[in-house]
Amino acid sequence: MKTLLTLTAVTLALSAAAGATSYPLTLTDDLGRKVTLKAEPKRIISVLPSTTETLCALGLCDRLVGVDDYSDFPQQVTKLPKVGGLYNPNIEAMVALKPDLVIVSKYGKLVEPLTQAGVTVLAINPETYDEVFSKTLTLGRVVNREAQAKGLVLNMRRDIARVEILTKNAVRKPTTYLEIDPTPYSVGPNSFMGVLLTKAGARNIIPASMGDFPKVDPEFIVKANPQLMLGLDARAAAGRPGWNSIQAVKTGRALEIPKELDTILSRPGPRLPQALRGLARLVHPELFK
Amino acid sequence: MSLEQEAGALSLPTRGPRRLGRTAALVAVLLAVVVLAVGLGSVTIPPGEVLGALWRGLSGADLAGNDVIVWQIRLPRVAMGVVVGACLAVCGGAFQGVFRNPLADPYLLGVASGAGLGATVGIVAGWPRASIPLVALGAALGAVALTLGLAREGRRFPPTRLILAGVVVGSILSAFSTFLILRGEDRARQVLAYTLGDLGFSGWRDVATVLPYAVVGCGVLVLLGRALDTLGLGDLTARSLGVPVERLRLLVVIAASVATAAAVAYVGIIGFVGLIVPHVVRLAWGASHRILLPVSALLGGALLVLADLLARTTILSQVGVVTTLLGGPFFLWLLRRGRHE
């Protein structure tokens, strides 16, 4: 009993010094549920690519025992068992992997069946720009890598600042339309992609009032007459009724987003600085010669 | 068709003048809706400027700013709305007549699920946007051919077998689409947008492509109005009056399917217009197909343009959502009202 007390005291002292997490740990997840982790998770399943990337960036790639179909970075996670996607999750496969923690998104219906199967489930779902950092810290706490998470966030912020220093003083910031889906959908300035676009030195033509990922009326874009269009090539843009009158099309500044960058850009995770750099290169190629 | 409606169909001439007034009013409504829809949108353009833009477009002057919006974006979109709305309403009316089934709509024989599957294959595989309507058109016609083949009984096409075959072919093709969507999750939104109907990127070229199918298909149906009326009296009676029932049924099915397939291929699956418009017309104008079909074209066109105007100016954002959300309750209200009268 005494040794146990001493151990606890030592652990507490250590956690204060090095930021180690003490378990059991209770926290409120992104679905508003109170979740308790009895011990440091050792067998983790991630069903969100951005979570997978964060865990690996915290040096815990080897604790992952399964990932969703879309997790493909870093390279080593591609060898892990796949447990399905948002619409077709393979719950049996998840349970069979005997995880002590499954980290899910806010969407989908995994929480109930997994909880019933006795698996601890945590919803962590960064959506805004600021949440990318705050959820990284939360994740660090959950997996007992608080110090590493703080370090990671610091590094990310530093790398982002490096790009911002370049773009901040750009002489002209082009008005820009960023297309994430040809239906067409775009991004509002308050979404994490919108924040990146602004930091990349562009002026987003979508006003905040239209929402974070609005479906846009094509004529709105013609009226806004952007100088730069990202996410569709010049041929696709010129093929749409009326769009060949848009400045960006006339000057050949309608650019496809390279596949690799497009993937990074859609993931609110540790590769945010890379996404920003890639975006800034497209917006201001002259700054990256 | 009820006895009352048949009586209505046979006693048409006595109600002529009142119907003419209603039709004139409907033409005025259609024109008003078109003018309204060209002027309003995410950018409001005053009527004077709209007229100016029209004139500049017609006189071949260079278009800039709002002129581009009026001439190259809104007008073709509105025109597409008129053509597709008319198509769906006429084909729905003809189907309800030929199958003597009030629930019949233009998608009855699997056209929508065929087009949906074609479009899904193209979208998920990442084919160029311009090729999607062509794939959808082909698949839609293929689906109808399949339905006809399965329902055939010798040289006859019994209505019940046609409907059953259509429903089942539709379900099977939809299941294929769902399977593909699940495998290509990241394109799911594009497929969904198509499935809910979207006039978004309709250009003059699209209108010009759909128009011939619409004119020929709907034209044939309107010309067959009198024959459809006779068919309403029952197969036996129609045959004894010299109507070639089987050939007529096949001709109606093919004409309506071709027109619907073309419309669906270019704007996606817009629900409800084809179902409710003919019923509304029947309540106000009577059930004779000679009147029903052309009037349905006018009302269908006006309704779809109005629905699309709401779709692009409100948060409802997809025309198919608007037609169902507004058309559905309106139709139910009409049903209840009809019962009390």
Side-chain angles (χ1 to χ4, degrees):
Chain A
M1 192 64 200
K2 201 177 168 191
T3 44
L4 195 71
L5 275 177
T6 327
L7 255 176
T8 317
V10 169
T11 317
L12 279 175
L14 271 177
S15 70
T21 311
S22 57
Y23 297 90
L25 166 73
T26 302
L27 71 165
T28 308
D29 77 352
D30 287 352
L31 286 169
R33 305 152 55 242
K34 276 220 179 325
V35 179
T36 302
L37 288 104
K38 292 191 202 82
E40 184 176 327
K42 305 276 191 199
R43 295 179 62 80
I44 305 171
I45 292 177
S46 159
V47 289
L48 211 60
S50 55
T51 303
T52 306
E53 293 188 17
T54 305
L55 287 173
C56 287
L58 295 176
L60 294 183
C61 239
D62 53 351
R63 288 202 188 168
L64 285 168
V65 293
V67 290
D68 69 295
D69 291 353
Y70 297 94
S71 288
D72 57 3
F73 186 89
Q75 179 71 39
Q76 64 192 104
V77 304
T78 54
K79 295 185 193 84
L80 290 170
K82 302 278 182 212
V83 295
L86 180 61
Y87 299 106
N88 55 341
N90 190 342
I91 293 172
E92 288 177 24
M94 290 185 206
V95 174
L97 289 169
K98 298 194 172 57
D100 48 19
L101 177 64
V102 179
I103 304 175
V104 301
S105 82
K106 273 198 290 208
Y107 310 101
K109 293 175 177 169
L110 285 170
V111 173
E112 202 172 316
L114 284 175
T115 309
Q116 270 171 6
V119 177
T120 309
V121 188
L122 194 65
I124 296 188
N125 204 148
E127 284 186 334
T128 67
Y129 177 77
D130 289 328
E131 276 173 356
V132 176
F133 303 103
S134 64
K135 307 284 166 173
T136 299
L137 293 175
T138 311
L139 211 52
R141 212 169 128 231
V142 167
V143 296
N144 195 12
R145 287 293 184 277
E146 213 161 345
Q148 285 89 336
K150 277 183 188 151
L152 174 60
V153 166
L154 271 176
N155 280 338
M156 286 166 71
R157 288 206 187 271
R158 189 196 59 214
D159 292 346
I160 286 169
R162 280 189 181 148
V163 179
E164 266 185 295
I165 289 167
L166 283 175
T167 55
K168 209 163 238 165
N169 300 317
V171 187
R172 30 161 213 94
K173 299 187 171 180
T175 50
T176 303
Y177 164 66
L178 174 64
E179 182 168 287
I180 53 168
D181 184 295
T183 324
Y185 278 85
S186 187
V187 298
N190 292 332
S191 67
F192 81 93
M193 284 168 129
V195 173
L196 290 181
L197 186 63
T198 310
K199 286 186 188 295
R203 282 180 290 154
N204 193 347
I205 60 162
I206 307 292
S209 58
M210 282 173 74
D212 283 353
F213 296 97
K215 183 169 158 67
V216 191
D217 190 348
E219 63 188 46
F220 172 86
I221 297 154
V222 172
K223 182 73 184 176
N225 198 12
Q227 295 158 328
L228 173 67
M229 295 207 278
L230 299 175
L232 74 169
D233 62 25
R235 252 189 70 206
R240 293 177 181 175
W243 280 37
N244 48 16
S245 72
I246 297 175
Q247 268 191 72
V249 180
K250 284 184 183 162
T251 56
R253 293 279 280 150
L255 308 171
E256 194 80 79
I257 296 178
K259 184 113 183 63
E260 167 79 0
L261 176 59
D262 199 38
T263 310
I264 305 177
L265 198 56
S266 66
R267 290 183 189 172
R271 287 195 285 170
L272 212 58
Q274 267 163 276
L276 174 59
R277 181 170 284 270
L279 212 48
R281 255 175 212 280
L282 289 178
V283 180
H284 289 291
E286 76 281 2
L287 296 178
F288 291 86
K289 271 170 191 162
Chain B
M1 193 183 289
S2 72
L3 272 177
E4 194 188 4
Q5 281 170 335
E6 278 172 30
L10 295 175
S11 64
L12 283 174
T14 56
R15 301 203 325 221
R18 231 170 98 199
R19 242 179 20 226
L20 208 63
R22 283 178 184 172
T23 311
L26 185 54
V27 172
V29 167
L30 176 61
L31 288 176
V33 166
V34 165
V35 171
L36 196 69
V38 174
L40 296 179
S42 59
V43 186
T44 308
I45 303 171
E49 219 185 314
V50 171
L51 290 177
L54 290 183
W55 171 247
R56 283 187 286 279
L58 286 174
S59 61
D62 274 345
L63 300 174
N66 284 349
D67 288 6
V68 174
I69 293 178
V70 167
W71 195 253
Q72 289 186 22
I73 300 180
R74 273 191 205 161
L75 260 185
R77 188 170 179 162
V78 167
M80 192 63 136
V82 173
V83 173
V84 170
C87 244
L88 294 177
V90 170
C91 296
F95 268 174
Q96 284 160 16
V98 81
F99 291 112
R100 270 172 269 143
N101 183 330
L103 288 178
D105 76 0
Y107 307 137
L108 189 69
L109 300 183
V111 169
S113 3
L117 179 58
T120 307
V121 169
I123 292 170
V124 171
W127 294 348
R129 204 191 128 77
S131 72
I132 304 291
L134 301 176
V135 186
L137 181 63
L141 294 173
V144 178
L146 186 62
T147 303
L148 286 174
L150 290 170
R152 201 165 75 107
E153 213 175 65
R155 292 180 59 192
R156 296 178 55 238
F157 294 90
T160 319
R161 283 179 64 112
L162 271 174
I163 295 176
L164 282 177
V167 168
V168 175
V169 166
S171 304
I172 295 172
L173 299 184
S174 298
F176 267 118
S177 301
T178 310
F179 166 71
L180 289 174
I181 296 167
L182 287 177
R183 285 181 49 97
E185 266 177 54
D186 41 344
R187 314 237 189 198
R189 185 145 58 180
Q190 268 166 271
V191 177
L192 185 68
Y194 179 87
T195 317
L196 291 174
D198 195 356
L199 296 170
F201 284 122
S202 306
W204 285 120
R205 206 186 315 162
D206 302 325
V207 178
T209 316
V210 176
L211 197 61
Y213 293 95
V215 168
V216 172
C218 297
V220 167
L221 296 177
V222 169
L223 290 176
L224 290 175
R226 186 189 294 270
L228 278 168
D229 283 344
T230 320
L231 197 62
L233 303 171
D235 279 18
L236 273 178
T237 319
R239 246 184 230 117
S240 69
L241 288 172
V243 175
V245 173
E246 298 304 331
R247 275 213 318 248
L248 171 64
R249 188 170 286 135
L250 193 61
L251 188 56
V252 168
V253 163
I254 289 173
S257 298
V258 166
T260 309
V264 168
Y266 280 84
V267 303
I269 302 155
I270 298 172
F272 252 67
V273 176
L275 176 68
I276 63 172
V277 168
H279 285 287
V280 174
V281 174
R282 214 171 271 126
L283 286 171
W285 275 267
S288 163
H289 289 89
R290 273 175 296 166
I291 308 290
L292 176 73
L293 298 183
V295 174
S296 290
L298 292 175
L299 185 60
L303 187 68
L304 198 56
V305 171
L306 192 63
D308 184 50
L309 176 62
L310 286 172
R312 56 194 166 86
T313 51
T314 69
I315 53 160
L316 293 172
S317 85
Q318 291 264 175
V319 64
V321 176
V322 179
T323 54
T324 308
L325 275 184
L326 296 185
F330 170 72
F331 186 55
L332 290 178
W333 172 78
L334 211 63
L335 271 184
R336 286 197 66 83
R337 204 178 132 254
R339 202 173 60 179
H340 292 306
E341 261 176 10

